């Protein structure tokens, strides 16, 4: 997506260890116009998939997910990174965090994710696919169907994209980073 790619090149910052910071328009300060444009593009790419629910994971997936949910007129459920004591019918899984370098338990209520749901998962980044693997597990536990996974930014030099596409999952990423070597952002054309 041209608009996102231009913004990454203009405002993205590269950090040691292959981390791309997009805090000025996605991860901290958010640009609602760009966010809506990205949601529109994701909705376009998954049109005809019969999606009746959008799933995301807190925190940074929520903004694009809620906008896509608004456009599709379907509910948006976010997987929680802290397990609340009051959640009913809880489904849990373990996710390894690339940026925090540790595993943690995430959860969602089976009241909001269940058999019959055709789910589109939306998140900010796809790196090694650890969050995505956890989501697949939750969707399976719920007996729901995964229609696709949409990401704003995919780090093409990490394994997540190959892993998910290799499993036959419909994956769409609006910008693919080819390399962050020498702290230089290189995008896939
Ligand atoms: P994965 O689970 O695919 O290994 O990593 C995806 C998650 O890690 C995303 O939800 C995102 O929060 C975080 N992440 C991975 N790489 C980056 C990065 O380069 N920049 C930022 N801002 N987040 C990242």
């Amino acid at each position: 997506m041209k608009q996102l790619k231009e913004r990454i090149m203009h405002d993205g910052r590269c950090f040691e260890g292959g981390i791309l910071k997009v805090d000025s328009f996605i991860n901290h300060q958010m640009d609602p116009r760009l966010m809506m444009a990205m949601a529109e593009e994701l909705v376009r790419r998954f049109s005809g998939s019969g999606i009746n629910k959008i799933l995301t994971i807190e925190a940074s997936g929520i903004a694009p997910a809620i906008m896509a949910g608004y456009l599709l007129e379907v509910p948006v459920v976010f997987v929680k990174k802290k397990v609340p004591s009051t959640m009913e019918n809880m489904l849990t899984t373990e996710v390894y965090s690339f940026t925090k370098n540790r595993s943690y338990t995430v959860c969602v209520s089976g009241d909001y994710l269940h058999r019959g749901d055709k789910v589109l998962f939306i998140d900010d980044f796809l790196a090694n696919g650890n969050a995505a693997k956890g989501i697949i597990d939750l969707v399976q536990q719920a007996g729901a169907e995964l229609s696709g996974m949409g990401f704003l930014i995919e780090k093409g030099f990490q394994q997540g994209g190959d892993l998910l596409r290799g499993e036959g999952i419909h994956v769409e990423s609006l910008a693919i980073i080819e390399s962050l070597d020498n702290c230089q952002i290189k995008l896939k054309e």
Side-chain angles (χ1 to χ4, degrees), residues 110-130:
D111 291 352
Y112 308 122
L113 180 68
H114 41 69
R115 195 167 296 284
D117 280 337
K118 289 192 86 176
V119 175
L120 170 62
F121 173 67
I122 290 181
D123 203 2
D124 58 343
F125 273 86
L126 171 62
N128 287 314
N130 291 306

Side-chain angles (χ1 to χ4, degrees), residues 6-147:
E6 286 173 357
R7 192 66 179 267
I8 292 170
M9 292 315 288
H10 194 260
D11 292 334
R13 299 280 175 269
C14 190
F15 280 68
E16 285 298 328
I19 301 283
L20 177 67
K21 271 225 166 200
V22 286
D23 277 14
S24 65
F25 58 103
I26 291 177
N27 286 137
H28 193 11
Q29 174 172 265
M30 291 178 278
D31 178 338
R33 277 185 187 276
L34 176 64
M35 206 61 90
M36 182 55 93
M38 295 191 288
E40 282 168 352
E41 180 62 15
L42 284 173
V43 164
R44 191 186 66 76
R45 294 191 190 190
F46 287 101
S47 67
S49 304
I51 291 150
N52 75 329
K53 193 161 285 181
I54 292 180
L55 192 62
T56 186
I57 184 161
E58 63 181 349
S60 295
I62 294 177
I66 191 81
M67 288 189 164
Y70 178 81
L71 294 168
L72 284 172
E73 299 183 15
V74 300
V76 178
V77 179
F78 66 91
V79 169
K80 296 195 174 209
K81 286 183 173 167
K82 275 210 180 111
V83 179
S85 56
T86 53
M87 189 182 281
E88 289 173 348
N89 198 5
M90 184 159 58
L91 307 171
T92 63
T93 193
E94 292 290 303
V95 169
Y96 177 78
S97 167
F98 172 83
T99 40
K100 297 193 177 70
N101 192 22
R102 66 178 176 91
S103 286
Y104 54 96
T105 304
V106 301
C107 67
V108 67
S109 171
D111 291 352
Y112 308 122
L113 180 68
H114 41 69
R115 195 167 296 284
D117 280 337
K118 289 192 86 176
V119 175
L120 170 62
F121 173 67
I122 290 181
D123 203 2
D124 58 343
F125 273 86
L126 171 62
N128 287 314
N130 291 306
K133 277 191 265 182
I135 294 300
I136 293 167
D137 184 31
L138 290 174
V139 169
Q140 282 172 348
Q141 286 183 47
E145 189 186 320
L146 184 65
S147 298

Side-chain angles (χ1 to χ4, degrees), residues 14 179-185:
C14 190
S179 145
L180 294 174
D181 290 350
N182 307 315
C183 273
Q184 292 228 322
I185 303 169

